[in-house]
Amino acid sequence: MPTTELAFKKNDRVKWEKKGKSFAGHVIAVVPKGVSPHKHVDWEDVRKRNVKALGLIATMQPRDHDSYLIEVLVGDREIKAIYWPPVSLIQPE
């Protein structure tokens, strides 16, 4: 079960694994419980830094606990993307 106690803050480096795949990046937003994640992204900053934000974030339902949006470099072309992983999987990098 995810913790509701915040362990990370903006700009913290984190990592997680899901379905045998490893991810690492930095926290770009802390999303309070009950709030949709797209409301916690600085979209102007995302555009300036050429982040390819995942469109699913805009359609996801709020979670019943605090969570994190994380910017990650993906693929060998180092494309930036935003992920909203399960809190229970996130660890400090």
Side-chain angles (χ1 to χ4, degrees):
M1 176 157 179
T3 180
T4 56
E5 185 176 322
L6 294 178
F8 305 105
K9 61 186 182 306
K10 190 173 179 179
N11 296 319
D12 282 353
R13 299 282 311 164
V14 296
K15 64 182 180 178
W16 73 98
E17 286 189 25
K18 189 170 182 181
K19 297 182 181 177
K21 189 172 181 180
S22 297
F23 299 88
H26 68 276
V27 175
I28 62 167
V30 176
V31 181
K33 71 177 184 175
V35 177
S36 194
H38 73 277
K39 294 181 180 182
H40 287 275
V41 175
D42 181 345
W43 293 109
E44 184 62 31
D45 184 52
V46 165
R47 282 189 285 279
K48 285 179 187 174
R49 292 184 297 112
N50 199 29
V51 176
K52 306 298 182 197
L54 300 179
L56 294 176
I57 289 174
T59 63
M60 291 183 163
Q61 296 298 314
R63 293 183 177 166
D64 64 356
H65 55 276
D66 296 330
S67 57
Y68 308 95
L69 291 176
I70 302 170
E71 181 181 306
V72 176
L73 290 175
V74 293
D76 53 350
R77 291 179 20 195
E78 295 191 347
I79 297 170
K80 296 176 187 175
I82 297 173
Y83 284 84
W84 192 32
V87 172
S88 61
L89 300 180
I90 303 171
Q91 301 175 1
E93 187 177 47

